[in-house]
Amino acid sequence: MTNRKMFFTMLWGAVFRRRSRAMMAVIASLVGAATLFCLASVCVAVPQQMNEEMRAYGANLIVTPASATGKSQGIDTVTVRNVTALIGAGHSVKSAAYRYESVRINSAPYTIAGVDVKAVRALNRHWNVTGDWPGSGNVMVGRDVADALGVKVGSRVTIGYRAADASASASSSASAKSDSDESTETAESSAQGTQSTQTTQGEQTTQATENGRVSSDIMDNNGTEFRIAGIVDTGGNEDSIIYATTADVAKLAGSKRGADVVEYSVNAMGDELNAIVNRINKNTNTAVKAQTVTRITSSDTRIIAMLQTLFWIVSLVVLVLTLVGVGTTISSIVSQRRNEIGLRKALGADSRAIGVEFYVESGIYGLIGGLLGTAIGYVLARVLCATVFGRAIGFDWLLGAGSLLLSVAIAVIASIPPVRRATRIDPAIVLREE
């Protein structure tokens, strides 16, 4: 019998003649592999799936005109298309453009936003809308606006547009949008800044007098009548804005121009999202300025950081427990085979050959445990993601291969101390005890 054949014969006997010990080593590797693969699969899948879920709660990036001239003319359609193509390179993206104008209802100043209803609806699926979205001749008002006007779905309001209001608000709205860059809390922060300045201007305008009397222009309630199709309630800045179709706002203002703000929902976060922002801001040809919506992006980052921290803590504990479990089992096997090892050394077997046999035996335990544990871990990860996110995850073959290699490596590393003790057994002492 050749040495190689003898080696595999003894290895086969060591593994299958002591099934109880072998089973303990396999179970220790199995538990470790299942836990680690499940956690790793979830940590790989969760950020992506959570990012997709968070995109239902609005934009995580907004674009505004970079120059004063651009702020008065807005972002034209060609620029929006170019910026969208720049952002969408390698990412799925949704966008919606907003044109803001200052209007009056019952002589009180309000902000109206001209929007593409289909785009805004797809971008902001979390909006709670009572009634219908805007349409031709129909507007949707925020909850705060509805309460202030005392209107409900089906009511009619007369919305007036004054060119003087628009020209007065253009310069100050630009500064308001610049201020909102530093403290961006929602995708509508620029709109809120515009609205606040328009409200202040409206209050100042209502105090304007002619010959000691209130200006007749201020008291002019003429305008275009719209039906209130719906009321939006988000608890945010959207509640203080009136929404209409882009065509209705252009008709009301008597002119067409570009958007004041373009919101984007991109399936990117953290450094990847910041890289997109930097790429847009460095591109002078677009003449726009991009910024992240900090409330959304910080929530993404915080939750993912917590999950990753939990993953590393649990992984470290599992690794230690697996090392202890496999090491203890191998130590027990070495103790049980002490006489056999002494006899083999007495017959001329060297320590290296004995050590290799134990390392291969431990590797087999790790491989079997890794295979079974990876399969069980995938099932657990699939059930977990389906339960929490309502989505299935595919098997990551690279992660599976890593799980097998790690299981084998842990089993071999855990066997080093007991194997070193086995190779130091003095055959004379062992045979004398016999």
Side-chain angles (χ1 to χ4, degrees), residues 33-35 37-39 41 372-382:
T35 306
F37 185 83
C38 177
L39 288 174
S41 297
L372 297 176
T374 299
I376 295 174
Y378 171 65
V379 173
L380 292 175
R382 190 177 179 89

mmCIF file of all heavy atoms in Angstrom, residues 33-35 37-39 41 372-382:
data_model
loop_
_atom_site.group_PDB
_atom_site.id
_atom_site.type_symbol
_atom_site.label_atom_id
_atom_site.label_comp_id
_atom_site.label_asym_id
_atom_site.label_seq_id
_atom_site.Cartn_x
_atom_site.Cartn_y
_atom_site.Cartn_z
ATOM 1 N N ALA A 33 -20.929 29.110 10.130
ATOM 2 C CA ALA A 33 -21.113 29.454 8.719
ATOM 3 C C ALA A 33 -22.521 29.968 8.449
ATOM 4 O O ALA A 33 -22.714 30.940 7.704
ATOM 5 C CB ALA A 33 -20.826 28.233 7.847
ATOM 6 N N ALA A 34 -23.526 29.334 9.055
ATOM 7 C CA ALA A 34 -24.922 29.754 8.840
ATOM 8 C C ALA A 34 -25.143 31.169 9.359
ATOM 9 O O ALA A 34 -25.749 32.012 8.674
ATOM 10 C CB ALA A 34 -25.875 28.783 9.525
ATOM 11 N N THR A 35 -24.641 31.444 10.555
ATOM 12 C CA THR A 35 -24.840 32.775 11.141
ATOM 13 C C THR A 35 -24.115 33.844 10.342
ATOM 14 O O THR A 35 -24.688 34.897 10.023
ATOM 15 C CB THR A 35 -24.347 32.784 12.599
ATOM 16 O OG1 THR A 35 -24.976 31.733 13.321
ATOM 17 C CG2 THR A 35 -24.664 34.115 13.264
ATOM 18 N N PHE A 37 -23.007 33.740 7.186
ATOM 19 C CA PHE A 37 -23.526 33.921 5.831
ATOM 20 C C PHE A 37 -24.858 34.664 5.854
ATOM 21 O O PHE A 37 -25.110 35.514 4.995
ATOM 22 C CB PHE A 37 -23.701 32.572 5.142
ATOM 23 C CG PHE A 37 -24.115 32.690 3.695
ATOM 24 C CD1 PHE A 37 -23.168 32.906 2.714
ATOM 25 C CD2 PHE A 37 -25.443 32.604 3.322
ATOM 26 C CE1 PHE A 37 -23.533 33.032 1.381
ATOM 27 C CE2 PHE A 37 -25.825 32.727 1.998
ATOM 28 C CZ PHE A 37 -24.863 32.937 1.026
ATOM 29 N N CYS A 38 -25.698 34.338 6.824
ATOM 30 C CA CYS A 38 -26.988 35.036 6.941
ATOM 31 C C CYS A 38 -26.775 36.522 7.201
ATOM 32 O O CYS A 38 -27.369 37.372 6.536
ATOM 33 C CB CYS A 38 -27.811 34.406 8.061
ATOM 34 S SG CYS A 38 -29.398 35.221 8.359
ATOM 35 N N LEU A 39 -25.903 36.840 8.154
ATOM 36 C CA LEU A 39 -25.636 38.241 8.476
ATOM 37 C C LEU A 39 -25.012 38.971 7.294
ATOM 38 O O LEU A 39 -25.386 40.111 6.981
ATOM 39 C CB LEU A 39 -24.722 38.333 9.696
ATOM 40 C CG LEU A 39 -25.346 37.973 11.046
ATOM 41 C CD1 LEU A 39 -24.278 37.961 12.128
ATOM 42 C CD2 LEU A 39 -26.450 38.955 11.406
ATOM 43 N N SER A 41 -25.215 38.230 4.087
ATOM 44 C CA SER A 41 -26.200 38.382 3.004
ATOM 45 C C SER A 41 -27.153 39.526 3.296
ATOM 46 O O SER A 41 -27.481 40.329 2.416
ATOM 47 C CB SER A 41 -26.993 37.084 2.824
ATOM 48 O OG SER A 41 -26.154 36.032 2.434
ATOM 49 N N LEU A 372 -23.125 22.991 4.560
ATOM 50 C CA LEU A 372 -24.462 22.928 5.175
ATOM 51 C C LEU A 372 -24.840 24.273 5.787
ATOM 52 O O LEU A 372 -25.986 24.731 5.659
ATOM 53 C CB LEU A 372 -24.485 21.839 6.249
ATOM 54 C CG LEU A 372 -24.252 20.401 5.755
ATOM 55 C CD1 LEU A 372 -24.191 19.435 6.936
ATOM 56 C CD2 LEU A 372 -25.337 19.994 4.775
ATOM 57 N N GLY A 373 -23.880 24.925 6.449
ATOM 58 C CA GLY A 373 -24.163 26.204 7.092
ATOM 59 C C GLY A 373 -24.486 27.294 6.098
ATOM 60 O O GLY A 373 -25.371 28.123 6.329
ATOM 61 N N THR A 374 -23.777 27.320 4.961
ATOM 62 C CA THR A 374 -24.060 28.320 3.930
ATOM 63 C C THR A 374 -25.466 28.145 3.368
ATOM 64 O O THR A 374 -26.192 29.123 3.145
ATOM 65 C CB THR A 374 -23.018 28.222 2.801
ATOM 66 O OG1 THR A 374 -21.717 28.480 3.333
ATOM 67 C CG2 THR A 374 -23.315 29.239 1.700
ATOM 68 N N ALA A 375 -25.856 26.892 3.142
ATOM 69 C CA ALA A 375 -27.215 26.634 2.638
ATOM 70 C C ALA A 375 -28.263 27.073 3.652
ATOM 71 O O ALA A 375 -29.252 27.746 3.296
ATOM 72 C CB ALA A 375 -27.368 25.144 2.324
ATOM 73 N N ILE A 376 -28.045 26.722 4.921
ATOM 74 C CA ILE A 376 -29.002 27.124 5.961
ATOM 75 C C ILE A 376 -29.004 28.643 6.130
ATOM 76 O O ILE A 376 -30.060 29.265 6.297
ATOM 77 C CB ILE A 376 -28.650 26.424 7.293
ATOM 78 C CG1 ILE A 376 -28.843 24.914 7.157
ATOM 79 C CG2 ILE A 376 -29.517 26.965 8.430
ATOM 80 C CD1 ILE A 376 -28.382 24.125 8.374
ATOM 81 N N GLY A 377 -27.817 29.255 6.076
ATOM 82 C CA GLY A 377 -27.735 30.712 6.205
ATOM 83 C C GLY A 377 -28.466 31.433 5.092
ATOM 84 O O GLY A 377 -29.105 32.455 5.319
ATOM 85 N N TYR A 378 -28.384 30.890 3.866
ATOM 86 C CA TYR A 378 -29.106 31.505 2.750
ATOM 87 C C TYR A 378 -30.609 31.427 2.952
ATOM 88 O O TYR A 378 -31.340 32.391 2.680
ATOM 89 C CB TYR A 378 -28.714 30.820 1.443
ATOM 90 C CG TYR A 378 -29.560 31.244 0.265
ATOM 91 C CD1 TYR A 378 -29.529 32.550 -0.208
ATOM 92 C CD2 TYR A 378 -30.408 30.339 -0.352
ATOM 93 C CE1 TYR A 378 -30.313 32.941 -1.281
ATOM 94 C CE2 TYR A 378 -31.198 30.712 -1.429
ATOM 95 C CZ TYR A 378 -31.143 32.020 -1.884
ATOM 96 O OH TYR A 378 -31.932 32.398 -2.937
ATOM 97 N N VAL A 379 -31.068 30.279 3.423
ATOM 98 C CA VAL A 379 -32.506 30.128 3.692
ATOM 99 C C VAL A 379 -32.958 31.131 4.757
ATOM 100 O O VAL A 379 -33.998 31.789 4.611
ATOM 101 C CB VAL A 379 -32.828 28.683 4.132
ATOM 102 C CG1 VAL A 379 -34.286 28.570 4.580
ATOM 103 C CG2 VAL A 379 -32.545 27.707 3.001
ATOM 104 N N LEU A 380 -32.168 31.259 5.826
ATOM 105 C CA LEU A 380 -32.511 32.209 6.890
ATOM 106 C C LEU A 380 -32.519 33.639 6.365
ATOM 107 O O LEU A 380 -33.420 34.429 6.689
ATOM 108 C CB LEU A 380 -31.516 32.073 8.040
ATOM 109 C CG LEU A 380 -31.556 30.768 8.843
ATOM 110 C CD1 LEU A 380 -30.442 30.729 9.876
ATOM 111 C CD2 LEU A 380 -32.918 30.596 9.525
ATOM 112 N N ALA A 381 -31.511 33.994 5.563
ATOM 113 C CA ALA A 381 -31.442 35.347 5.011
ATOM 114 C C ALA A 381 -32.617 35.627 4.075
ATOM 115 O O ALA A 381 -33.190 36.724 4.076
ATOM 116 C CB ALA A 381 -30.125 35.541 4.267
ATOM 117 N N ARG A 382 -32.985 34.636 3.293
ATOM 118 C CA ARG A 382 -34.108 34.792 2.361
ATOM 119 C C ARG A 382 -35.421 35.001 3.129
ATOM 120 O O ARG A 382 -36.235 35.861 2.769
ATOM 121 C CB ARG A 382 -34.193 33.556 1.461
ATOM 122 C CG ARG A 382 -35.159 33.706 0.311
ATOM 123 C CD ARG A 382 -35.130 32.457 -0.564
ATOM 124 N NE ARG A 382 -36.078 32.564 -1.669
ATOM 125 C CZ ARG A 382 -35.806 33.090 -2.831
ATOM 126 N NH1 ARG A 382 -34.599 33.579 -3.070
ATOM 127 N NH2 ARG A 382 -36.719 33.143 -3.784
#
